[in-house]
Amino acid sequence: MPIETTPVLTGVRGAEPAPDAELVALPFGPDLTPAAAPWLESPVPVDALLAHYEAKGEPGEVVEVPTAREGSVRRVLLYGVGDASAAALRKAGASVARRAKGRASLSVVVPSEGETAALVEGALLAAYTFTIGNGRAKSVGEIVFLGGDERELRRGETVARATALARDLVNTPSSVKTPAWLADQAKAVAAESGLAVRVWEGSELGEFGGIRAVGQGSISPPRLVQLSYTPENPRAHVVLVGKGITFDTGGLSLKPTEGMKTMKTDMAGGATVIAAMSALAAFDVPVRVTGLVACAENSISGSAQRPGDVITQYGGRTVEVLNTDAEGRLVLADALAYADAELDPDVVVDVATLTGAAKIALGQSLGAVYATDDALAAALTAAGEASGERLWRMPLVDDYRAMLDSEVADLANVDRTMSGAAGSIAAALFLREFTGGRPWAHLDIAGPARAGSDEGEITKGGTGFGVRLLLRYLTA
Ligand code: BES
Ligand code: MN
Ligand code: ZN
C-alpha cells in the first residue's frame, strides 16, 4: 500500500547531548535560566541574548542561539516552558518540534520539573506527518529526549503513538479505507496490543439492522468490530462505541460537494476507540474495556436505503429513515443496544462525528459531551481539561424528544418537521433511546476530529481527538 507515515522515532538517553547532535533544544523559563554547558558556547552570552529578544520563557517561545562548535556554526534552541504545567509543556514541545522541521534529528533536554510527559506528547504529535508518495509534509526524522524521568517520558510517547494511530486511520483515503480494511486494522492492533477481537460480517450482522441498512448501498460491505481488554479483577466495565463510517456521501439524501470532501473523517470516532484501546495494556488500566466500532460506507446505488424506509435496529425497535444522511445514529444505535443487551456495562461512552450542528455550536477546538450521569460528565470533562482535549457539556432536552416521534415506526431518525433546530441534541436524544438507562455519555466530535491547519500539537487533517481524553479518563 502506498501509504507512509513519517516514523516518529524517539529515544531517551542520558542528560547530555551527543557531541555530534545535530540540533539541541534547552529549556528556559521565568524561574529557569539555561544551564551553562560547554556545548552552549555562544558569541553573545545567553542571558544577554534572551534579554535582547525580550524572551520571557513563555511556552511557545523559541530562541535560536548560534554556537561555535568544531570550527563551524551550529544552533541551539532555547525553548520557553512557562509554569511547566501540562498545557505549557505540551505547547513548548510542539513549538520546538516545529522548529526542527526538515532536520534529521532533534535532541530535547527535558526540564527537571513539571509534567514532562506532556512535553514528549506535544513534540511527537507536532512532528506527525501523513504522506502518500511525495507529499509535501515535512517533519523531523528523530526526536531524542535527554534527562527527565524515563517512565514519564514513555507515558507521553505511548499517548502520542496512540493518537498518531488514530490520525493515520482518519487520514487514510476512503478508496483504501473500506469497512473490511478498518476491521483488519483493528485486528492488527488487537494482535499487537493483547486485545481479543471479534468481527461480524455478512449474515452475522442479521440483527444489526442499522448497520446493514447504512451499508447496503456500498460495494464494500459493513462490519461490526468488538475489541476486548480484560485485566485481572477489573474494577468496572466500560464500553466504548465508535462511529466507523468509512465515507459519508449522505446516501440518497446526498451531500453537496463542499460538505462531502472531508467525509473520510467520518470514522474518526471508531479510530479513537481503536487507538485508545491500543494503549490500555501499556497503562495497566484497571477496568475492563470493550470497544465496539460500527463500520459501514454510506454510499449511493440502486441498493442504497431510501428516505422513508423503515428499519429494525438491534433489539427490535423500528426506525423510519427520513434522511439517509443521519446515518451515524443508525449504526451507533445497534452497537449501543447490543452493549446494553449483551455486555452488562457499568458505563457506556460513544464517540462520533455525528452532526454538523455540533461543529457549528462549538467550533473545531471543543467536543460536545452529552451524559445521563453527572459524575460521568464531570469525569470526562476533567479528563478533557487535563489532556488538552476540551469538552463542553450540552443538555439532553427532554422536551425535544417528541421531534423524533414517527407516524409509522417507533422512532424517526431525524426531526419529523425537518426544522434542523438543535440538530446535535436531537441526535443525542435518538442515541439515548438505545442505552437501556445505563450511565451513558456521547461525545460529538464532528468539529475537533479534523483540523484545517497545523496549530500547536495539532496537525492538519485527522487530529485523533478523544484518544488522549479517553486514556486520561480510563487511567484516572
Ligand atoms: N458525518 C455527518 C456529520 C458531520 C458534518 C461531521 C460535518 C463532520 C462535519 C453526519 O452523518 C451527518 O451528515 N449529519 C447530518 C444530520 C442531519 C441530516 C440531521 C448533519 O449534521 O447535517
Ligand atoms: Mn451523514
Ligand atoms: Zn456521518
Side-chain angles (χ1 to χ4, degrees):
M1 205 184 3
I3 291 170
E4 275 172 42
T5 55
T6 299
V8 183
L9 299 174
T10 160
V12 181
R13 296 190 195 137
E16 285 285 299
D20 59 347
E22 194 195 357
L23 187 62
V24 180
L26 205 63
F28 80 105
D31 313 311
L32 178 64
T33 23
W39 42 270
L40 192 56
E41 269 170 28
S42 158
V44 183
V46 167
D47 36 2
L49 201 72
L50 290 175
H52 172 76
Y53 285 117
E54 295 178 22
K56 299 181 211 60
E58 282 164 9
E61 280 178 353
V62 179
V63 173
E64 290 193 9
V65 185
T67 62
R69 287 279 303 286
E70 287 157 12
S72 65
V73 179
R74 302 231 187 161
R75 270 180 288 176
V76 169
L77 302 179
L78 297 177
Y79 68 97
V81 297
D83 61 3
S85 64
L89 288 186
R90 199 176 290 123
K91 186 170 179 187
S95 302
V96 160
R98 291 202 184 283
R99 273 306 177 95
K101 231 179 188 173
R103 301 293 195 108
S105 176
L106 164 71
S107 301
V108 180
V109 176
V110 176
S112 54
E113 309 270 303
E115 299 271 337
T116 53
L119 179 82
V120 175
E121 183 189 303
L124 295 184
L125 287 178
Y128 171 88
T129 58
F130 181 89
T131 52
I132 300 171
N134 293 315
R136 286 197 308 151
K138 280 253 173 326
S139 182
V140 54
E142 173 197 54
I143 306 179
V144 179
F145 296 92
L146 306 170
D149 173 14
E150 174 153 1
R151 273 178 46 115
E152 275 292 293
L153 304 186
R154 291 287 175 207
R155 212 160 59 79
E157 182 191 5
T158 303
V159 169
R161 278 190 192 283
T163 305
L165 166 63
R167 290 182 184 180
D168 284 351
L169 295 174
V170 171
N171 289 334
T172 298
S174 298
S175 50
V176 172
K177 185 172 55 188
T178 61
W181 183 92
L182 190 53
D184 284 346
Q185 300 300 305
K187 282 184 189 167
V189 167
E192 251 175 63
S193 322
L195 305 170
V197 60
R198 177 175 174 192
V199 177
W200 287 257
E201 60 179 90
S203 59
E204 295 158 0
L205 286 168
E207 290 179 74
F208 297 88
I211 295 173
R212 279 194 295 110
V214 172
Q216 74 189 30
S218 172
I219 196 158
S220 307
R223 297 283 188 276
L224 173 64
V225 178
Q226 175 173 304
L227 294 169
S228 309
Y229 167 78
T230 317
E232 271 177 47
N233 307 316
R235 267 191 235 151
H237 184 197
V238 176
V239 171
L240 304 176
V241 176
K243 173 176 173 180
I245 298 298
T246 58
F247 193 76
D248 183 10
T249 66
L252 291 178
S253 310
L254 194 65
K255 287 184 183 297
T257 309
E258 261 320 291
M260 204 191 294
K261 71 185 183 194
T262 57
M263 281 302 135
K264 71 173 181 180
T265 310
D266 215 20
M267 38 57 74
T272 292
V273 170
I274 294 168
M277 292 198 67
S278 77
L280 297 180
F283 283 121
D284 263 323
V285 166
V287 298
R288 178 182 164 203
V289 183
T290 304
L292 293 170
V293 184
C295 310
E297 182 181 29
N298 189 23
S299 195
I300 52 165
S301 74
S303 63
Q305 68 170 336
R306 294 147 288 257
D309 283 2
V310 175
I311 66 171
T312 304
Q313 303 273 176
Y314 188 96
R317 220 126 16 134
T318 56
V319 171
E320 183 184 14
V321 180
L322 291 173
N323 189 321
T324 63
D325 198 10
E327 84 297 340
R329 62 198 76 180
L330 303 179
V331 302
L332 292 170
D334 280 349
L336 291 169
Y338 170 77
D340 173 45
E342 298 293 332
L343 299 176
D344 193 26
D346 300 299
V347 168
V348 179
V349 180
D350 76 71
V351 192
T353 48
L354 205 60
T355 63
K359 183 175 176 178
I360 288 168
L362 297 173
Q364 300 217 79
S365 297
L366 278 78
V369 56
Y370 294 85
T372 53
D373 183 282
D374 290 344
L376 176 58
L380 287 168
T381 306
E385 293 294 330
S387 64
E389 297 186 322
R390 291 183 63 202
L391 296 175
W392 195 263
R393 189 170 182 188
M394 303 275 277
L396 288 157
V397 183
D398 288 317
D399 289 352
Y400 297 168
R401 166 59 187 80
M403 293 199 293
L404 301 172
D405 287 342
S406 165
E407 298 287 321
V408 299
D410 292 328
L411 212 58
N413 78 326
V414 294
D415 179 358
R416 219 171 347 100
T417 67
M418 309 271 182
S419 74
S424 173
I425 298 175
L429 289 169
F430 180 91
L431 296 180
R432 188 178 66 175
E433 295 295 311
F434 298 88
T435 58
R438 294 183 189 264
W440 160 76
H442 157 57
L443 309 185
D444 192 335
I445 62 165
R450 185 169 190 86
S453 60
D454 293 346
E455 177 67 44
E457 81 276 19
I458 297 299
T459 49
K460 186 173 179 207
T463 60
F465 186 94
V467 174
R468 291 183 279 164
L469 106 81
L470 285 180
L471 287 175
R472 182 64 75 139
Y473 166 68
L474 291 167
T475 52

